[in-house]
Amino acid sequence: MVTIRPLALTDAPCMAELGDNEKIRTNLRDGFPNPLNAELAEGMIRRWMEKVPATFFAIEWNGEYVGNISLSPGEDVYRKTAEIGYFIGEPYWNKGIATQAVNLIVEFGFKELGLARIHTGVFEYNHASMRVLEKCGFELDGVFKKAVMKNGKIWDEVRYSKINGFKVACHTDIIDNPNKQ
Ligand SMILES: CC(C)(COP(=O)(O)OP(=O)(O)OC[C@H]1O[C@@H](n2cnc3c(N)ncnc32)[C@H](O)[C@@H]1OP(=O)(O)O)[C@@H](O)C(=O)NCCC(=O)NCCS
């Protein structure tokens, strides 16, 4: 069974043990520490814990920490959009865990946060992540050609999004946009 819950400082040692892996790092932005240790993981979790509402979650599989998943809401006109990010520890790959976790956080983002859109960019070689997004009903937005520099090479970024099927409150737009008819 897969569940998500807000990250806690006590997750730091497990996050470091699973996250300090080149196969994970190569699919994430360079801001993800290299190497990752428990002290750095604790600092990251401490910063994420300050966010209200909580948008950085631990993924649990049968009650065990197995990875992280997050929503990072945009600002200004992008405030109803969020970027999704995630990783699963390598021993737990290909069990359907990411797919279930993405579905859970998407439901949270749409129902609890009232988001209109959730999106992400996947490096061109990360076929497992593209498959996860497609299984979760994300659609291909397009390819940002040569958008990414990772490990000394330039790569395409494949962009996916999912749109909220529920009605999103937008009455403030009438106030915000004086040009709206
Ligand atoms: C991507 C990642 C989250 C997937 O997690 P997971 O729990 O293994 O995902 P799932 O088991 O739910 O689904 C994986 C799917 O990808 C497929 N897959 C795995 N490796 C693949 C590959 N090399 N090529 C194509 N498909 C692949 C699996 O077969 C499965 O699809 P299926 O159910 O149709 O068989 C995990 O590999 C990971 O953490 N990678 C490093 C970090 C990362 O990439 N984060 C996302 C950045 S955009």
Side-chain angles (χ1 to χ4, degrees):
M1 182 188 171
V2 175
T3 53
I4 59 174
R5 57 156 176 83
L7 275 158
L9 292 178
T10 47
D11 294 317
C14 294
M15 176 179 153
E17 191 183 327
L18 294 178
D20 189 36
N21 179 336
E22 190 50 37
K23 292 183 193 164
I24 289 179
R25 197 176 288 117
T26 199
N27 292 297
L28 302 180
R29 293 187 184 160
D30 289 345
F32 195 79
N34 180 13
L36 176 63
N37 57 37
E39 196 182 350
L40 287 168
E42 188 175 321
M44 293 164 81
I45 294 171
R46 199 178 290 281
R47 284 193 298 280
W48 294 334
M49 283 172 68
E50 288 168 6
K51 295 191 183 295
V52 180
T55 50
F56 283 78
F57 296 90
I59 302 169
E60 286 192 356
W61 180 63
N62 298 331
E64 188 184 352
Y65 169 96
V66 295
N68 288 2
I69 190 161
S70 63
L71 286 175
S72 300
E75 295 179 349
D76 202 288
V77 296
Y78 301 111
R79 61 192 179 277
K80 288 287 185 184
T81 292
E83 183 176 59
I84 188 171
Y86 45 84
F87 77 84
I88 304 287
E90 189 178 357
Y92 306 96
W93 286 0
N94 295 318
K95 298 179 188 298
I97 297 173
T99 302
Q100 289 185 61
V102 168
N103 279 329
L104 287 171
I105 204 168
V106 163
E107 186 177 354
F108 168 78
F110 287 161
K111 288 192 179 165
E112 304 299 325
L113 302 181
L115 294 170
R117 170 193 172 88
I118 296 174
H119 67 184
T120 194
V122 182
F123 305 159
E124 63 174 89
Y125 47 79
N126 191 355
H127 298 286
S129 187
M130 290 185 224
R131 178 76 190 122
V132 167
L133 294 166
E134 285 163 6
K135 284 195 289 179
C136 294
F138 280 68
E139 291 184 356
L140 179 69
D141 283 332
V143 177
F144 285 13
K145 292 193 174 175
K146 312 295 176 204
V148 168
M149 170 120 185
K150 185 71 186 178
N151 296 331
K153 290 187 185 160
I154 301 287
W155 307 93
D156 292 350
E157 184 183 47
V158 186
R159 305 281 304 214
Y160 284 87
S161 68
K162 187 163 185 174
I163 306 303
N164 192 349
F166 302 95
K167 186 166 169 51
V168 177
C170 60
H171 58 277
T172 53
D173 288 349
I174 297 164
I175 301 164
D176 291 346
N177 181 357
N179 297 321
K180 192 162 180 168
Q181 297 296 314

